[in-house]
Amino acid sequence: MGSIPTLPRLLGLAGLLPQIACVAVLYAGPAEWRDPAQAVAFAYAALILSFLGGTWWGIAATAPAAERRHTLGWVWIAAVTPSLVALACFLPWVLGWQWPEPSLVMLGGALLVSLGVDARLGALAPRWWMALRVPLSVGLGLATAAAALA
């Protein structure tokens, strides 16, 4: 992670703290904190997944005009997918189905799969992009899965 500028590195790593705190509460906290911790873990994972889509949208929007017109259709589609996945994960709660464990598993998996989009961005993203994205997506994806299994 040494090639990553200091501020994105520190802020990115700090972004793992809310999920780590939720997992700690789920495994070692009082029983009455369990439901709120699961809800916060779900909300945070869904927010960050949607945020990733926004970053991809921004990267596509700042690409050279020729690339935007001819080769980036897949990025625009990928950019809206995380918000739709997050919404789909929210529906079981709204509809009274089993929640939150399956939704947390799906969000954790989506965070891990997001690395595929990050990798395909190639030269459009900063040189240090994957060095930042891998530990953050793996960390948050696994923490979200750990919240589901608690």
Side-chain angles (χ1 to χ4, degrees):
M1 289 190 73
S3 65
I4 303 165
T6 302
L7 194 56
R9 182 178 64 239
L10 293 177
L11 292 173
L13 291 172
L16 294 174
L17 296 176
Q19 205 71 334
I20 291 168
C22 287
V23 170
V25 166
L26 288 167
Y27 282 90
E32 61 269 14
W33 291 8
R34 182 172 179 73
D35 288 345
Q38 282 183 321
V40 170
F42 167 82
Y44 190 69
L47 286 169
I48 295 301
L49 187 62
S50 293
F51 173 81
L52 284 174
T55 63
W56 300 334
W57 187 277
I59 288 170
T62 60
E67 287 189 63
R68 281 196 312 269
R69 282 193 300 274
H70 300 294
T71 61
L72 292 181
W74 72 270
V75 179
W76 299 106
I77 293 166
V80 299
T81 301
S83 296
L84 298 175
V85 169
L87 177 63
C89 290
F90 185 65
L91 291 176
W93 185 28
V94 172
L95 298 173
W97 300 341
Q98 184 180 357
W99 190 86
E101 291 85 1
S103 295
L104 285 165
V105 168
M106 189 170 170
L107 286 171
L111 287 160
L112 294 171
V113 169
S114 73
L115 287 171
V117 173
D118 287 321
R120 278 202 64 202
L121 291 172
L124 295 174
R127 287 186 329 270
W128 45 265
W129 187 252
M130 288 306 293
L132 177 69
R133 294 302 319 130
V134 170
L136 297 183
S137 289
V138 170
L140 188 59
L142 293 178
T144 301
L149 300 173

